[in-house]
Amino acid sequence: MENNDRVTHHSDHYEGHRSKQLDRRKYADGADVCIVGAGAAGGVLAYELAKAGLAVVVIEAGPFWNPQTDFASDELSTRRLAWQDTRLVDGAHPLKLGYNNSGRGVGGGTVHFTGVFLRFHESDFMTKSMDGVGEDWPIRYEDLEPYYDKIEREIAVSGPDHFPWGPFNGPYPYPVREPISANAQLFREACEKLGIDSVVAPLAILSAPFDGRPPCINRGFCNQGCMPNAKYSGLIHHIPKAIGLGAEVLSDCMVTQVLTDGDRVTGVLFVHDGQTYEQKARVVILAGFVVETPRLLLHSATPHFPDGLANSSGWVGRAIMPHSSHDVYGILQEEVRLYKGTPVLALTQHFYETDRERGFARGYTLSAHGARPVGMASAIAAERADGTMLWGSALRQAMLDYNFYARVTLVGEVLPHPDNRVTLAEEKDEYGMPRAKVTFSYQENDLKLIDHAVVQMKRIIEAMGGRPAHVVSDTAHLMGGCRMGNDPRTSVVDQFGRSHDIPNLYIVGASTFVTSGGANPTNTVMALAARTADHLIDAMRQRDV
Amino acid sequence: MAESSHYPSYDVWAEHREWDEHTRKIVAKRRSPDVAHRFLTPKEAVTLQTAASLLVDDIRLDVLTYITQHVDETLASPVGEDQRKVGVPEKQTLYRQGLRGLDETSEAEHRALFAALPKEQQLDVLTRIETGQVKPSGAWAQVPAKEFFKKMLHDVVSAYYSHPLIWSEIGYGGPAYPRGYIRVEKGLVDPWEAKQDGK
Ligand SMILES: Cc1cc2nc3c(=O)[nH]c(=O)nc-3n(C[C@H](O)[C@H](O)[C@H](O)COP(=O)(O)OP(=O)(O)OC[C@H]3O[C@@H](n4cnc5c(N)ncnc54)[C@H](O)[C@@H]3O)c2cc1C
Ligand code: SF4
């Protein structure tokens, strides 16, 4: 791996490359900032804060991956890139976690994400005032706009010259991807027939060389970790750069508690190889994603904070949201070969904004979406939208036509509901921490949106000349659980991610989302993180933390 | 729906020298699976393999052996199971009881162990478990039949479609690094990809 040198002295074990001795940590006596979680948000913060000269330690539960020896062009063996620790799931629509939405290891979810890189629209930040649903964010699109610009430039997002929806209409920093896969071509042709605008997807995937990395070779395994390093991940971009600027990254280190003294946090406890260590810091930033951040806050309760840290509102863990993500597989006369090319190369946001005629609020994005055999077969077998299962000769025969399928996937807005939440279960994990219990049920608006989208996806398949054959019920991404807001009684953090209750405790990442939007979230995750970084650098200079 | 492969002469493994070493090792292992198991008893392994054969509609021993080995590995591994529904026991208990339940339902309905039944009756037993139409006694008093079926189906199908023989059959291009794909657009194929015979 290219960045080995930079990490040699700064991180714990990575066979042959790093010091195994955590006692010789760089900031063993205390850091300015300790970031828990080296994912999308944690990576951006580590980089920005280290660049500003702060002493930064990032503590990451999972490994420091080496793309060449840890990733593979294979579905089954790369499920381990995900957070596989058991979580209990409950509710009317129990979530599929693990590989489906949770990363674990340096880079977090970006290591196996699909790389679709979209901005939220203006309306996403004010669903309550515009549509009377959800909740308004404490910020507006304009507050994030400069950070979207910055992040997109910084990682050379490729995309179309003209993007027809929302406030940002292009052009993107890097040229649009070319050529696109057969599935994406068919999708775009079908959309055109139906009078639906579509574009080649904006992607955090290179269309030309950048920063020593090559363009995409269309191998199609983005969800298994990109081996040529054409796809952005925190692992190959922000984290190595942060290390180069002096940050220390401790991988394979699970944070089990946030430490407090009176009204402030003082650092964290983490476990490495069965041993517990303490990391002190002036500021602690939790960037552990939607399930683990609330779990850690709830588990860190003290007599002073009996309901968990930063939880005087009772909102820690509440209002988590996935995106609804049904798939329609359609069978065509000609070969499509869903395995080829970057999985998502075309999409439409034609149905993004609220249209009252449809009978529900908010909207969605539809994407042309590739599929590999394990993902497709296990989904059409055991995740069918009608609740039936497909097996035996029916499954075998369906899969013999694998190359003749096209697929369209939904990314649908799910409205926040306080009962969709992360709590602590009785059962303990290997660290003695209570397992997370994740409860989720779609509400009426969510289900109406899904029904509408499935009809449109079927129309698109039909316009391709195909026949809708399998509808799969799925979700993607997770957001919320520590939402931001102006009112400390109904939110956990302020607009910069600073917790209302504890001035030197910050929360960043997908967990601070107020609503889910109807678009893939990571551009917004990273833009928010960059905004927090600016704020924090200022605040720390002014000794305001 | 197809009754047989569109690509009878395609062999994805023939390209394995083009694959990166890590991937090659992973796939090679599937071609010569272990027959020794760490979690499953020999009897459980037979029951599972019999069920797997029906779930994927295939009787080729090398593929089935790999499926059983994969499930056994999952069960013996301390790695978590991503998520588990409240009320559903841990994967080890779910399989142990579920496989016992397969035999119990077989004996109750057809008076023989699952593996000993003729195919029609085996299919009947699996359908009962799939739809939860089983007597809520014995194993099924302890584990939900449908949840067991769903988990087993998911695991078995995931393993089956990871086997290079099956990749060849469905015309999947398989591992693609460092080579990637050049011809990705409609109607185009790279020279090493599966071609329908006669085309
Ligand atoms: C299969 C898949 C496809 C996706 N596709 C897209 C896409 O196309 N476009 C898009 O915009 N988004 C996509 N996403 C979503 C994207 O990955 C997330 O939005 C993003 O990674 C969230 O960033 P985060 O920083 O909040 O959390 P993460 O990136 O998940 O990072 C959290 C990190 O914290 C670590 N951690 C948690 N708890 C602890 C602890 N106690 N101690 C130490 N470390 C801890 C975790 O190991 C993890 O590395 C996809 C996700 C998946 C899984
Ligand atoms: S399709 Fe492109 S970006 Fe995705 S894994 Fe392959 S080379 Fe990387």
Side-chain angles (χ1 to χ4, degrees):
Chain A
M1 194 168 62
E2 227 178 57
N3 54 31
N4 272 338
D5 288 340
R6 289 188 200 145
V7 292
T8 305
H9 308 292
H10 304 326
S11 324
D12 68 306
H13 77 117
Y14 185 64
E15 285 162 80
H17 293 296
R18 293 174 203 151
S19 165
K20 274 194 192 280
Q21 282 137 333
L22 280 168
D23 305 338
R24 295 212 206 125
R25 279 178 285 150
K26 217 169 153 184
Y27 303 115
D29 299 332
D32 291 325
V33 181
C34 170
I35 302 172
V36 178
V44 170
L45 272 148
Y47 168 66
E48 293 294 337
L49 299 179
K51 197 166 66 175
L54 293 165
V56 177
V57 174
V58 187
I59 308 186
E60 167 55 50
F64 208 121
W65 305 113
N66 176 341
Q68 294 307 308
T69 52
D70 289 327
F71 301 170
S73 294
D74 183 64
E75 291 176 89
L76 201 58
S77 59
T78 47
R79 284 186 181 161
R80 69 196 187 94
L81 299 177
W83 190 284
Q84 295 181 294
D85 276 9
T86 305
R87 281 107 169 221
L88 297 176
V89 290
D90 204 359
H93 305 94
L95 292 174
K96 208 164 78 190
L97 298 166
Y99 179 77
N100 190 39
N101 46 34
S102 312
R104 181 174 172 280
V106 174
T110 62
V111 166
H112 76 285
F113 87 147
T114 315
V116 178
F117 220 65
L118 297 168
R119 297 184 184 202
F120 276 8
H121 295 193
E122 286 135 326
S123 67
D124 287 319
F125 298 90
M126 32 201 232
T127 61
K128 181 91 180 187
S129 47
M130 284 182 67
D131 297 323
V133 297
E135 191 56 70
D136 285 3
W137 293 50
I139 54 172
R140 292 290 172 264
Y141 175 81
E142 298 75 56
D143 296 309
L144 270 193
E145 186 170 43
Y147 296 98
Y148 280 134
D149 287 343
K150 173 187 160 79
I151 294 287
E152 286 169 4
R153 246 183 294 118
E154 214 173 88
I155 66 172
V157 171
S158 65
D161 288 340
H162 181 68
F163 189 85
W165 313 277
F168 176 71
N169 302 121
Y172 283 86
Y174 258 44
V176 71
R177 283 287 302 280
E178 220 267 324
I180 62 172
S181 63
N183 188 49
Q185 282 182 303
L186 287 160
F187 175 89
R188 295 205 63 192
E189 289 164 12
C191 283
E192 195 177 336
K193 270 190 211 157
L194 297 171
I196 298 171
D197 283 344
S198 74
V199 293
V200 175
L203 292 166
I205 295 177
L206 298 178
S207 55
F210 169 74
D211 200 22
R213 296 196 273 122
C216 173
I217 57 169
N218 268 319
R219 95 186 223 278
F221 286 89
C222 297
N223 298 135
Q224 285 69 34
C226 180
M227 296 181 79
N229 290 343
K231 184 186 78 172
Y232 166 82
S233 74
L235 172 73
I236 59 162
H237 185 94
H238 283 109
I239 289 291
K241 286 190 193 299
I243 291 170
L245 292 162
E248 177 175 58
V249 176
L250 308 175
S251 52
D252 287 306
C253 292
M254 172 73 181
V255 173
T256 52
Q257 200 167 351
V258 181
L259 300 169
T260 55
D261 183 10
D263 289 335
R264 297 175 65 82
V265 297
T266 56
V268 300
L269 289 184
F270 65 91
V271 178
H272 174 76
D273 251 353
Q275 282 257 26
T276 301
Y277 300 82
E278 181 176 345
Q279 176 66 54
K280 288 197 175 64
R282 287 166 62 203
V283 172
V284 172
I285 304 179
L286 302 184
F289 200 50
V290 173
V291 180
E292 293 308 311
T293 293
R295 181 165 82 121
L296 190 54
L297 289 168
L298 296 172
H299 178 61
S300 298
T302 64
H304 196 71
F305 297 106
D307 301 322
L309 304 185
N311 196 22
S312 65
S313 64
W315 274 84
V316 166
R318 288 191 186 272
I320 58 159
M321 302 155 282
H323 282 125
S324 50
S325 193
H326 278 50
D327 305 284
V328 176
Y329 286 91
I331 188 150
L332 272 65
Q333 295 297 322
E334 72 266 33
E335 290 174 337
V336 182
R337 299 188 187 241
L338 281 175
Y339 58 88
K340 290 170 73 173
T342 299
V344 174
L345 278 164
L347 57 82
T348 176
Q349 291 196 326
H350 184 80
F351 305 98
Y352 198 85
E353 300 291 341
T354 295
D355 172 357
R356 285 288 168 196
E357 307 257 293
R358 301 191 301 215
F360 60 90
R362 311 306 302 151
Y364 53 88
T365 303
L366 296 181
S367 314
H369 197 181
R372 258 134 277 288
V374 174
M376 174 168 169
S378 59
I380 68 170
E383 313 286 346
R384 304 178 73 77
D386 62 7
T388 62
M389 288 188 253
L390 188 72
W391 53 277
S393 56
L395 175 65
R396 176 105 188 263
Q397 288 176 13
M399 285 304 292
L400 282 172
D401 288 331
Y402 168 69
N403 275 347
F404 293 78
Y405 281 97
R407 178 201 196 189
V408 181
T409 295
L410 164 67
V411 175
E413 176 150 1
V414 170
L415 293 176
H417 193 286
D419 294 343
N420 287 334
R421 62 188 296 206
V422 175
T423 51
L424 300 181
E426 297 283 312
E427 212 179 299
K428 299 272 168 49
D429 71 3
E430 61 180 299
Y431 305 100
M433 283 175 83
R435 290 195 190 285
K437 179 172 145 190
V438 182
T439 306
F440 179 74
S441 310
Y442 282 125
Q443 308 298 312
E444 196 188 333
N445 195 80
D446 309 328
L447 293 169
K448 284 185 177 161
L449 183 151
I450 293 170
D451 285 347
H452 187 271
V454 168
V455 170
Q456 300 309 317
M457 293 194 280
K458 286 181 173 170
R459 280 179 72 213
I460 293 173
I461 294 284
E462 280 159 3
M464 290 178 185
R467 176 177 59 78
H470 308 281
V471 182
V472 167
S473 159
D474 200 356
T475 59
H477 320 135
L478 280 178
M479 293 138 292
C482 290
R483 74 179 188 183
M484 55 166 66
N486 292 324
D487 186 347
R489 288 167 308 177
T490 56
S491 60
V492 179
V493 297
D494 72 7
Q495 58 164 307
F496 297 108
R498 185 182 198 159
S499 74
H500 293 306
D501 297 349
I502 304 177
N504 65 336
L505 175 65
Y506 281 73
I507 298 167
V508 297
S511 42
T512 66
F513 280 35
V514 180
T515 58
S516 75
N520 313 49
T522 308
N523 197 358
T524 305
V525 168
M526 291 169 66
L528 283 170
R531 187 166 184 267
T532 296
D534 272 3
H535 152 85
L536 193 56
I537 291 162
D538 258 10
M540 289 189 81
R541 282 206 183 112
Q542 294 166 21
R543 301 237 146 225
D544 177 31
V545 196
Chain B
M1 271 197 282
E3 306 257 315
S4 61
S5 174
H6 297 289
Y7 316 96
S9 56
Y10 174 61
D11 176 13
V12 72
W13 179 253
E15 294 292 323
H16 71 270
R17 277 182 204 85
E18 301 292 332
W19 306 347
D20 68 275
E21 194 186 323
H22 186 220
T23 304
R24 190 164 57 228
K25 271 193 196 146
I26 291 167
V27 180
K29 258 191 166 166
R30 294 182 187 144
R31 301 176 75 237
S32 45
D34 260 339
V35 281
H37 300 127
R38 289 194 290 157
F39 177 83
L40 297 168
T41 64
K43 179 165 174 256
E44 286 170 339
V46 170
T47 311
L48 174 66
Q49 196 153 314
T50 309
S53 161
L54 296 160
L55 292 175
V56 299
D57 187 31
D58 200 330
I59 53 167
R60 281 170 289 185
L61 206 57
D62 36 356
V63 183
L64 297 176
T65 309
Y66 163 64
I67 295 177
T68 309
Q69 188 228 330
H70 167 75
V71 174
D72 180 69
E73 223 167 61
T74 314
L75 293 172
S77 147
V79 172
E81 39 189 324
D82 298 345
Q83 72 278 318
R84 179 183 352 117
K85 275 189 206 168
V86 167
V88 175
E90 288 182 28
K91 60 186 178 184
Q92 289 85 359
T93 310
L94 188 62
Y95 264 97
R96 186 132 280 158
Q97 295 301 329
L99 293 171
R100 200 183 104 203
L102 261 173
D103 275 338
E104 286 175 359
T105 301
S106 301
E107 296 212 297
E109 303 295 335
H110 305 291
R111 290 189 206 84
L113 291 179
F114 181 70
L117 293 177
K119 187 174 171 186
E120 285 318 304
Q121 295 182 353
Q122 287 174 336
L123 288 172
D124 169 66
V125 169
L126 281 177
T127 306
R128 283 170 190 275
I129 295 171
E130 174 198 6
T131 52
Q133 290 166 329
V134 289
K135 297 203 177 70
S137 58
W140 304 130
Q142 297 178 45
V143 300
K146 279 186 190 174
E147 293 296 335
F148 165 66
F149 186 89
K150 190 171 169 179
K151 176 102 172 163
M152 176 171 66
L153 179 62
H154 177 269
D155 293 348
V156 163
V157 165
S158 300
Y160 184 71
Y161 288 98
S162 297
H163 198 286
L165 263 182
I166 311 310
W167 292 349
S168 299
E169 208 163 80
I170 65 177
Y172 169 54
Y177 179 72
R179 184 162 56 183
Y181 289 103
I182 313 290
R183 297 164 189 82
V184 295
E185 291 172 286
K186 269 195 323 189
L188 304 181
V189 283
D190 280 328
W192 54 85
E193 295 186 73
K195 314 267 183 330
Q196 293 186 63
D197 282 9
K199 291 198 181 175

